[in-house]
Amino acid sequence: MYKLEMEVFSAAMVLMRDMFQIKEGETIVITADTSSNEHIVRASASAAKACGAKPMVVWLATPDGVGKDTDAKVPVEALTGALLNTDCWVEFNKGWLLYSTPFEKAVEGNEKLRYMCLVDLDEELFVKIIGEVDKNMEAYMRKLTEMTKNAKKMRVTTPAGTDISFENEPSRKIYCDLGEADKPGLTFMPGQICWFPKFETINGTIVFDGSLTPPCGLLEEPVKITIENGVATKIEGGRQATQFSEWLKSFDDPNMYRPVHISYGVNPKAQLSGNICEDERIWGCTQWGFGYLSPVDCPPDGIPAKTHLDGICLNSSVWMDGEQIWDKGRVVNEELKEYSKKLGK
């Protein structure tokens, strides 16, 4: 018997039946690599079959990079062909294909594609984040998304030293990740709100004190990044800051130094684990992504970079147009409190 066998299959049914709302006769491609959790992959394929769909599992050798950095290590044309001719795609890869060339071609060329990013999961996380979604998250997330979309100027600080300000770009998409994959487009694990500011207005200091993936994973010490007009100009800290700096330099790509999105973590069940998908959903954190950005998120051309990275700032304080919304990860806005208290926060 597999670990958590019944719970994992139940979560897989939630994924296919409720989140994808997959229909009889539809096709779904499930991608995984040799580091993915086989139990989750097989349970998800079985659940799709139980819903009347036609699942196809694609196993790949695990690449040593992520995003665009996987292009030289995966069968780009063959994989692209499969993704261009499917209704749904769920990604369980550890070396994630999100932002790779097959991903880019699929989301641009397959108008019916419904994609969900569920990379590098184990059984416990799959059950916790997919199988046991707190229904009260939806109202809180929709309200916070609405407030963020309407805000013009933002400021974020943390006890570790983050103090960053920027302006929002109202024409760009904002993702309210509720696990809704029933319509064409991109979907991510429930419990995060992500958006794309006016890049040149991002100024101040970002201090990652949770995790930084790639290349560091869990952080033993903060990594401090100075941002000037939307570009990282200085990286400070200890051993992991040096590791991060050298990793960025290895790409010889100035766009790798650009912060391109910020996210709120809003899942009360998420805990700091070193798995970036869980870490960026920790209640009260903010997360910054650097590097590649898809044309879907920033039309018409996106930001062409050699790969993408994400880092976590814990216990964030947030201001919208001068009004404080969060204080060190706690909700202080009275209107938001009406929703967050139903989540025990």
Side-chain angles (χ1 to χ4, degrees):
M1 179 176 286
Y2 283 117
K3 182 180 181 182
L4 295 174
E5 183 165 3
M6 290 182 284
E7 293 87 346
V8 167
F9 184 74
S10 178
M13 286 298 295
V14 170
L15 175 65
M16 296 299 169
R17 181 194 60 222
D18 302 336
M19 293 185 175
F20 273 100
Q21 296 187 23
I22 199 162
K23 301 174 182 65
E24 186 166 353
E26 285 191 315
T27 59
I28 181 163
V29 171
I30 299 170
T31 59
D33 56 39
T34 48
S35 298
S36 299
N37 186 292
E38 182 179 353
H39 180 194
I40 294 172
V41 173
R42 293 187 179 279
S44 297
S46 297
K49 177 68 175 174
C51 291
K54 301 172 184 176
M56 180 170 75
V57 178
V58 178
W59 290 99
L60 303 167
T62 305
D64 58 2
V66 297
K68 281 281 188 183
D69 199 28
T70 67
D71 283 358
K73 298 123 183 172
V74 301
V76 170
E77 294 304 321
L79 181 57
T80 300
L83 299 176
L84 284 171
N85 293 281
T86 188
D87 298 295
C88 307
W89 171 22
V90 57
E91 181 182 3
F92 289 120
N93 301 63
K94 182 178 178 66
W96 33 270
L97 302 171
L98 175 70
Y99 304 143
S100 67
T101 292
F103 168 87
E104 196 171 67
K105 289 183 176 180
V107 298
E108 291 177 1
N110 185 351
E111 294 182 355
K112 66 180 179 179
L113 182 65
R114 304 177 344 244
Y115 164 85
M116 184 177 283
C117 180
L118 296 176
V119 297
D120 194 21
L121 302 185
D122 61 17
E123 287 97 336
E124 288 86 354
L125 185 55
F126 185 63
V127 171
K128 178 169 62 174
I129 302 295
I130 298 298
E132 300 175 352
V133 176
D134 190 328
K135 300 300 183 183
N136 291 307
M137 276 204 315
E138 180 174 354
Y140 174 74
M141 289 179 65
R142 290 197 186 281
K143 184 60 183 178
L144 182 55
T145 299
E146 176 191 353
M147 293 171 67
T148 303
K149 191 173 183 62
N150 291 333
K152 295 179 179 179
K153 294 184 178 181
M154 307 283 299
R155 181 187 176 204
V156 179
T157 69
T158 67
T162 294
D163 193 344
I164 193 81
S165 299
F166 56 90
E167 296 178 15
N168 284 336
E169 175 49 71
S171 66
R172 291 183 185 142
K173 183 178 178 65
I174 181 167
Y175 286 94
C176 180
D177 293 327
L178 296 164
E180 297 175 327
D182 58 317
K183 296 179 178 62
L186 310 183
T187 310
F188 298 84
M189 191 184 300
Q192 183 186 52
I193 298 167
C194 177
W195 73 104
F196 312 91
K198 292 181 180 179
F199 307 123
E200 69 279 4
T201 70
I202 305 173
N203 284 284
T205 303
I206 296 173
V207 179
F208 294 135
D209 62 336
S211 60
L212 177 53
T213 304
C216 302
L218 278 174
L219 291 173
E220 301 168 359
E221 55 198 354
V223 175
K224 179 181 177 181
I225 307 170
T226 301
I227 308 294
E228 297 180 9
N229 302 322
V231 178
T233 58
K234 185 187 297 185
I235 298 172
E236 301 171 273
R239 177 186 60 82
Q240 287 175 305
T242 300
Q243 178 189 7
F244 177 52
S245 181
E246 292 301 317
W247 181 79
L248 286 176
K249 287 178 186 177
S250 72
F251 293 101
D252 191 25
D253 182 353
N255 280 345
M256 287 298 298
Y257 292 83
R258 296 179 61 179
V260 295
H261 70 70
I262 181 174
S263 305
Y264 302 123
V266 292
N267 191 324
K269 293 183 178 180
Q271 298 176 327
L272 186 65
S273 65
N275 180 310
I276 194 63
C277 281
E278 180 172 22
D279 294 349
E280 63 191 14
R281 285 157 178 79
I282 294 169
W283 185 272
C285 84
T286 47
Q287 174 254 25
W288 284 92
F290 281 64
Y292 177 88
L293 189 59
S294 167
V296 173
D297 297 323
C298 185
D301 301 318
I303 293 179
K306 292 184 178 177
T307 191
H308 183 88
L309 65 101
D310 297 293
I312 307 301
C313 306
L314 300 171
N315 303 310
S316 296
S317 299
V318 176
W319 286 261
M320 298 179 182
D321 295 325
E323 179 186 354
Q324 188 168 12
I325 305 300
W326 289 0
D327 181 46
K328 299 181 182 66
R330 296 182 301 104
V331 176
V332 294
N333 174 271
E334 290 300 326
E335 191 171 5
L336 272 180
K337 280 184 180 179
E338 293 301 310
Y339 300 95
S340 65
K341 67 184 181 183
K342 295 179 182 178
L343 293 162
K345 295 292 185 177

